Amino acid sequence: MYVLGILDGGGGDETVDRVVDGAIDQLAQAGRVGVIRYDATIADGTHGALTTGGDVTVDLGADGDWTASGTGLSVQQALDRLAPDCDYAVVVGVSSLRYPAVVVSDDPTAREHEHTPADTLATIASATELGDIDLRERLEATDPHRTLGSLVERVKRSSHAPRAGAIATFTGRVRQKDAEDDTPTQYLEFEKYEGVADERMAALERELEARDGVFAVELYHRTGVVEDGEDIVFVVVLAGHREEAFRTVEDGINRLKDEVPLFKKEVTLEDEFWVHERS
């Protein structure tokens, strides 16, 4: 699922609403769209949009065929809920989002505030200007939002699913410490060798899927900042039997770590360093 943020940089509520409707209409031509709106004025003062607190409204489907308001979900949790069912998500009013955003403002240099995403797609003054942007093309050049559940749903849609008796998965997450007296890790930051990493990941999926009894393989590794306790990497395998499913999951994560050019920075309470330089 590809995610687009829409921020009010001074354009006003009505203009923002029209831009949101225009984005939904454009993306709905290519797939199902989920919409998340965050109202910071209802936040309790101790939580941000990516944790529980404030009012989160979720619409599922371009026509709003399912809506939940004031759900108690964080925006992150709402994205995770939408990921298995939607191709795109539009998130309104969240400046700390780690996905590309459109800023609505009469000022072409406007930013909502210092936390507005650096990878802003455009600053526009009206929904008409949004029509000049191919949102699908721009979003699909960015990293999608994947969850373990959304990847499991992808392999279940394989044409070979009727022959499959097993789905095996692996989830890698940020470990705070190896031992009790270790300095706690605050977060990891991942960078990928642009182009090469994606090509190698896709080639690895194809190689694993070529094995006898293996029908579908999904590999996903997050980039950017991943906080303590968050998920980093998923491997999902659809296979005829558990033996080849488990074997392929283990080979998949080992080969991903060995063969895909991803660079990891570790930030602890006392230090920060690139892991490959320490190794």
Side-chain angles (χ1 to χ4, degrees):
M1 179 179 76
Y2 294 95
V3 180
L4 172 69
I6 295 181
L7 299 169
D8 185 357
D13 291 344
E14 291 186 6
T15 303
V16 170
D17 287 343
R18 287 193 291 269
V19 169
V20 171
D21 290 342
I24 295 170
D25 290 343
Q26 188 178 147
L27 294 173
Q29 297 178 39
R32 199 173 196 190
V33 184
V35 184
I36 300 170
R37 293 178 173 84
Y38 176 73
D39 187 350
T41 64
I42 309 178
D44 59 14
T46 61
H47 299 287
L50 301 186
T51 55
T52 306
D55 184 74
V56 177
T57 300
V58 183
D59 294 324
L60 181 59
D63 297 325
D65 54 356
W66 178 83
T67 301
S69 181
T71 58
L73 296 175
S74 68
V75 170
Q76 185 69 48
Q77 290 168 336
L79 282 169
D80 290 348
R81 294 280 185 93
L82 291 177
D85 299 306
C86 294
D87 302 289
Y88 305 95
V90 175
V91 181
V92 187
V94 180
S95 57
S96 54
L97 204 63
R98 62 181 179 91
Y99 295 103
V102 168
V103 178
V104 183
S105 174
D106 292 328
D107 179 359
T109 64
R111 296 292 183 267
E112 188 183 30
H113 52 64
E114 61 181 359
H115 299 299
T116 296
D119 55 346
T120 300
L121 289 182
T123 300
I124 62 176
S126 68
T128 302
E129 293 182 25
L130 188 70
D132 297 328
I133 303 170
D134 187 334
L135 291 178
R136 179 184 177 186
E137 180 181 6
R138 299 286 294 275
L139 288 179
E140 292 182 4
T142 68
D143 287 334
H145 181 87
R146 301 282 192 232
T147 66
L148 181 61
S150 69
L151 294 175
V152 168
E153 289 303 313
R154 282 169 66 91
V155 301
K156 283 182 177 181
R157 293 195 289 267
S158 166
S159 60
H160 300 292
R163 298 172 53 200
I167 295 175
T169 72
F170 170 81
T171 301
R173 62 194 297 270
V174 178
R175 178 179 55 246
Q176 187 182 85
K177 55 177 71 175
D178 277 324
E180 193 61 37
D181 58 351
D182 283 347
T183 302
T185 295
Q186 292 182 296
Y187 64 86
L188 302 178
E189 184 174 354
F190 294 91
E191 292 184 2
K192 64 182 178 181
Y193 191 151
E194 287 294 341
V196 177
D198 292 336
E199 290 175 5
R200 188 67 199 107
M201 192 97 74
L204 180 53
E205 287 178 343
R206 292 192 296 270
E207 291 173 22
L208 295 173
E209 287 174 343
R211 294 182 172 189
D212 288 341
V214 175
F215 302 130
V217 176
E218 291 286 345
L219 306 175
Y220 175 72
H221 197 295
R222 282 181 60 182
T223 55
V225 173
V226 188
E227 304 283 351
D228 165 38
E230 291 184 341
D231 296 337
I232 306 168
V233 58
F234 302 118
V235 179
V236 178
V237 175
L238 179 76
H241 302 277
R242 64 182 180 274
E243 292 84 2
E244 51 261 42
F246 288 138
R247 190 180 307 117
T248 303
V249 163
E250 183 174 12
D251 291 346
I253 187 59
N254 289 339
R255 291 186 62 185
L256 188 158
K257 290 176 68 69
D258 290 341
E259 301 175 21
V260 178
L262 292 156
F263 308 101
K264 178 171 70 174
K265 178 193 286 186
E266 183 169 351
V267 178
T268 72
L269 290 175
E270 298 178 352
D271 194 11
E272 65 177 62
F273 55 91
W274 290 99
V275 173
H276 66 277
E277 293 178 353
R278 288 282 178 95
S279 300

